[in-house]
Amino acid sequence: EIGGRLEYPIYIAVSAWQLDDFLKNLPDSYKHRCNDFVFFSGGLQYGNIEDVLKNSGYCRDSMTQVLATGLHVTPMKTVQDLSTNLGRDATGEEKIAGDCASCGKWAGAIAERMERSI
């Protein structure tokens, strides 16, 4: 329990090559909280976590994943948006490159937190 809340996001931000060992050694006290896990990934230097999540049974619609690209943390600890609007495609939809994205149970909470940080 934190602040009277029984559910809250649990951030997991390790590289793909560390994630498999992390999940295999997860304490039993956290295994029942897997729906509150928020898996972060971001860029080629950190690897693709999707395959690790699939192999570990953690890749499903309710799982929260965050793709953190297109941002820079300044020396003042603020977040600078580096995403680029590429214009509209043939169907009129705007195309954005380098945009951060989140999905799953905690996607809304992650989006709100990122918006507050910009």
Side-chain angles (χ1 to χ4, degrees):
E1 182 177 329
I2 292 181
R5 297 174 62 185
L6 298 177
E7 289 188 344
Y8 48 86
I10 299 170
Y11 299 148
I12 300 173
V14 297
S15 63
W17 46 90
Q18 296 170 315
L19 184 57
D20 189 45
D21 284 339
F22 175 85
L23 294 173
K24 285 179 182 173
N25 294 297
L26 195 63
D28 289 337
S29 60
Y30 278 94
K31 289 181 181 175
H32 75 283
R33 298 288 313 279
C34 67
N35 286 331
D36 292 319
F37 291 170
V38 177
F39 294 99
F40 283 81
S41 64
L44 296 175
Q45 69 269 31
Y46 301 107
N48 180 357
I49 67 168
E50 193 76 14
D51 291 335
V52 177
L53 294 177
K54 284 179 185 176
N55 292 337
S56 302
Y58 286 98
C59 190
R60 51 187 180 267
D61 291 342
S62 63
M63 281 300 183
T64 304
Q65 292 184 50
V66 178
L67 178 61
T69 61
L71 59 86
H72 170 71
V73 179
T74 69
M76 298 297 293
K77 305 295 185 212
T78 60
V79 178
Q80 180 183 5
D81 182 2
L82 300 178
S83 62
T84 303
N85 187 329
L86 301 174
R88 298 190 180 276
D89 65 10
T91 64
E93 183 179 334
E94 281 194 357
K95 295 296 179 182
I96 309 291
D99 204 13
C100 293
S102 61
C103 64
K105 176 180 177 178
W106 293 104
I110 297 296
E112 287 176 15
R113 186 168 198 163
M114 288 191 153
E115 284 295 322
R116 284 195 313 261
S117 298
I118 293 179

